[in-house]
Amino acid sequence: CYLAGGLLMLSIIYFFWFLPSMTDGHHGPKTAIKAKQSIAKAYINRMNRAQQAYRLEFGAFTTDINALGINILEQTNTYVYSIVSSVDPATQVTHLAIAKQPDLRSYIGEVAVTSGDKTVVILCESKQPSQAAPNMPDFVNDALVCAPDSRATK
């Protein structure tokens, strides 16, 4: 009798204490959201690294995802991925992961060439869930800094 009562009490505690902390209201499990966002971050990080290698080989960045040779889809059920060229494709390139669902954050990655001809990279995520890309990072003193509407992430 004590065992059954104890199990019932543990079930009640689980239901009211732990279960709500694993979800974010009506949008579903937090873990599913984080998993989707982790994939987007991994894609942008891969694009950033591939662009560094591409520039070493060809002397400039590319706006063609397929040219990077890393098998990234330009669109999934959760994100649209793209490359945006700067005014000078030899010195700067931007990667976007724009959320297709309202409960996901969007991401922007950038690779820039410093005055010492080295590359620096950054990955920024929107501070709030957003279906729009964060603003472009600033390039100041050979360093990239996320715009005010986003924060640096890995």
Side-chain angles (χ1 to χ4, degrees):
C1 184
Y2 288 111
L3 182 60
L7 289 175
L8 178 62
M9 183 56 86
L10 283 176
S11 296
I12 291 170
I13 290 171
Y14 174 81
F15 185 77
F16 287 106
W17 182 263
F18 292 108
L19 192 59
S21 68
M22 292 171 38
T23 64
D24 63 350
H26 64 281
H27 292 296
K30 284 183 182 179
T31 52
I33 290 170
K34 288 185 184 223
K36 292 173 185 176
Q37 292 175 164
S38 290
I39 292 169
K41 289 191 281 189
Y43 271 28
I44 296 298
N45 278 323
R46 285 177 61 200
M47 292 167 72
N48 281 347
R49 285 190 303 275
Q51 285 283 12
Q52 289 175 299
Y54 189 93
R55 182 182 175 276
L56 280 175
E57 186 172 347
F58 298 105
F61 297 113
T62 182
T63 57
D64 180 6
I65 290 176
N66 296 321
L68 295 175
I70 53 177
N71 296 326
I72 288 180
L73 299 172
E74 292 185 40
Q75 188 164 214
T76 66
N77 291 335
T78 52
Y79 284 92
V80 175
Y81 300 94
S82 62
I83 300 174
V84 179
S85 179
S86 68
V87 175
D88 183 2
T91 62
Q92 208 163 355
V93 68
T94 303
H95 306 108
L96 302 174
I98 300 174
K100 293 170 69 176
Q101 299 171 358
D103 54 349
L104 299 174
R105 296 176 192 269
S106 288
Y107 297 89
I108 189 167
E110 190 151 331
V111 183
V113 179
T114 67
S115 58
D117 201 37
K118 296 183 180 188
T119 56
V120 291
V121 299
I122 196 164
L123 173 61
C124 307
E125 72 177 354
S126 57
K127 288 184 177 177
Q128 302 296 323
S130 175
Q131 290 179 279
N135 288 318
M136 300 280 283
D138 292 320
F139 188 56
V140 181
N141 298 324
D142 283 346
L144 288 164
V145 180
C146 294
D149 68 337
S150 63
R151 63 178 166 239
T153 188
K154 294 184 181 202

